[in-house]
């Protein structure tokens, strides 16, 4: 068994995939080096250095064989952070090269392709809910700030949605679990990676004076318009699962 270690990036993973074919590894596994724990003392360890030319060659080959939509599906598998993501992506690449004339991602008789399909559905569902349930709060500097804690790493998938929808105001979205975010300054929409984790106590102290008033007014409105006799908690939870309530001002 040969173990290829990569840096945890998508380009790093595609570089490792390239080297599987470059060095003709057969019995091989690809592992994020941050999660690697050597159990087999006889395993051969090879550390992959991310190289854009190699990752681009794999990317272009995948585009040729499974199309942009297929590559996007594999990106969702990567962002899912599933423990089997490296195995599934390598399996998809191998099958796309073996059967370039087929749409291998729709071969649900294959367990790996079926797993990819299920993961993509779960990631799509989380992406949609993040676009629906994110709540911005106005800060003292005028920037609108939102914190999220999604099950999957969906920030790259919701970036365009928020950039297109909120072009006239500065905003930030921060992932509490993965400690990075998106910043839009009216011109650029870029990812940012702070050195320190967000301090929620300090964060609340930086609210704009208007923010608490807005939140209080919205909570009062929600309470006044709520018809107790028509309350259907089961249906409500079906459409707005409890784990998303922490984002909603009316639930605080």
């Amino acid at each position: 068994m040969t173990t290829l270690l990569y840096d945890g990036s998508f380009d790093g993973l595609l570089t490792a995939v390239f080297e599987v074919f470059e060095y003709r590894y057969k019995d091989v596994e690809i592992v994020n080096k941050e999660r690697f724990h050597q159990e087999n003392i006889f395993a051969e360890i090879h550390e992959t250095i991310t190289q854009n030319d190699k990752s681009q060659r794999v990317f272009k080959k995948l585009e040729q064989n499974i199309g942009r939509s297929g590559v996007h599906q594999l990106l969702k598998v990567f962002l899912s952070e599933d423990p089997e993501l490296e195995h599934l992506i390598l399996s998809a690449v191998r099958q796309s090269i073996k059967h370039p004339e087929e749409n291998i991602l729709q071969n649900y008789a294959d367990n790996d392709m079926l797993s990819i399909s299920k993961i993509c559905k779960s990631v799509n569902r989380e992406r949609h809910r993040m676009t629906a349930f994110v709540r911005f709060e106005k800060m003292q500097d005028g920037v609108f700030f939102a914190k999220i804690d999604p099950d999957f790493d969906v920030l790259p998938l919701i970036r365009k949605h928020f950039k297109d929808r909120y072009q006239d105001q500065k905003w930030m979205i921060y992932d509490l679990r993965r400690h990075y975010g998106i910043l839009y300054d009216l011109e650029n929409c870029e990812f940012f990676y702070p050195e320190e984790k967000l301090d929620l106590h300090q964060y609340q102290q930086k609210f704009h004076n208007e923010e608490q008033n807005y939140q209080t007014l919205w909570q009062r409105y929600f309470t006044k318009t709520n018809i107790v006799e028509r309350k259907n908690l089961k249906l409500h939870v079906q459409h707005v699962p409890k784990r998303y309530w922490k984002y909603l001002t009316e639930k605080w």
Side-chain angles (χ1 to χ4, degrees):
M1 169 69 76
T2 301
T3 299
L4 301 185
L5 302 181
Y6 74 105
D7 62 6
S9 69
F10 192 57
D11 280 333
L13 174 55
L14 294 187
T15 301
V17 168
F18 182 92
E19 293 185 350
V20 168
F21 294 91
E22 181 181 20
Y23 299 116
R24 299 182 181 181
Y25 293 126
K26 299 299 181 184
D27 187 16
V28 64
E29 64 175 353
I30 302 174
V31 181
N32 183 335
K33 62 182 180 182
E34 292 184 0
R35 300 198 309 265
F36 178 64
H37 301 285
Q38 186 168 358
E39 297 178 356
N40 182 358
I41 62 173
F42 299 105
E44 179 184 348
I45 308 299
H46 172 75
E47 186 162 350
T48 296
I49 299 175
T50 300
Q51 299 179 48
N52 289 334
D53 58 331
K54 290 185 177 181
S55 68
Q56 282 300 308
R57 287 177 65 178
V58 175
F59 189 92
K60 289 179 180 178
K61 188 66 176 178
L62 284 170
E63 273 194 325
Q64 178 183 333
N65 291 350
I66 62 177
R68 281 186 172 270
S69 62
V71 175
H72 200 56
Q73 281 184 271
L74 297 188
L75 176 60
K76 289 175 184 175
V77 173
F78 177 76
L79 295 174
S80 74
E81 301 171 332
D82 188 277
E84 295 294 315
L85 74 88
E86 292 90 0
H87 164 77
L88 294 173
I89 291 175
L90 177 58
S91 176
V93 174
R94 279 174 163 165
Q95 293 195 46
S96 73
I97 292 175
K98 188 176 181 180
H99 305 288
E101 71 287 351
E102 300 177 14
N103 190 343
I104 54 98
L105 292 178
Q106 292 185 5
N107 178 20
Y108 303 135
D110 182 276
N111 288 333
D112 288 343
M113 300 307 105
L114 181 61
S115 294
I116 287 174
S117 176
K118 290 179 177 178
I119 289 172
C120 286
K121 287 179 180 178
S122 296
V123 173
N124 282 336
R125 189 180 305 114
E126 188 76 341
R127 175 192 60 81
H128 174 72
R129 286 174 171 167
M130 285 298 104
T131 60
F133 299 142
V134 164
R135 293 293 185 269
F136 286 96
E137 296 164 313
K138 190 174 183 180
M139 311 305 286
Q140 292 174 3
D141 58 4
V143 174
F144 287 85
F145 187 93
K147 54 189 184 298
I148 63 173
D149 184 21
D151 285 349
F152 310 115
D153 184 10
V154 296
L155 264 184
L157 302 178
I158 64 175
R159 174 184 178 186
K160 185 178 185 303
H161 168 86
F162 284 99
K163 181 178 182 296
D164 292 344
R165 186 169 182 179
Y166 300 107
Q167 297 184 14
D168 60 344
Q169 59 194 40
K170 296 179 180 180
W171 52 263
M172 299 169 63
I173 303 176
Y174 181 79
D175 187 327
L176 293 169
R177 187 177 305 189
R178 296 162 189 87
H179 314 300
Y180 82 108
I182 307 171
L183 170 63
Y184 176 67
D185 62 3
L186 301 180
E187 294 183 2
N188 302 304
C189 188
E190 305 290 348
F191 293 106
F192 68 93
Y193 304 86
E195 294 182 0
E196 298 181 359
K197 297 179 182 180
L198 176 68
D199 186 318
L200 291 178
H201 178 66
Q202 290 184 0
Y203 152 76
Q204 291 175 342
Q205 292 179 336
K206 294 180 180 179
F207 279 170
H208 192 281
N209 293 336
E210 299 173 350
E211 180 59 33
Q212 192 59 55
N213 293 333
Y214 289 147
Q215 292 183 8
T216 301
L217 285 172
W218 177 243
Q219 289 162 356
R220 287 177 180 173
Y221 171 80
F222 183 80
T223 301
K224 293 292 185 181
T225 56
N226 185 35
I227 302 175
V228 178
E229 291 77 11
R230 294 186 180 180
K231 186 175 182 178
N232 187 335
L233 186 58
K234 182 178 180 181
L235 181 63
H236 182 63
V237 171
Q238 180 181 336
H239 289 285
V240 187
K242 285 188 175 182
R243 67 188 183 88
Y244 296 102
W245 289 10
K246 59 190 173 184
Y247 302 119
L248 307 180
T249 307
E250 61 270 23
K251 296 294 185 183
W252 298 349

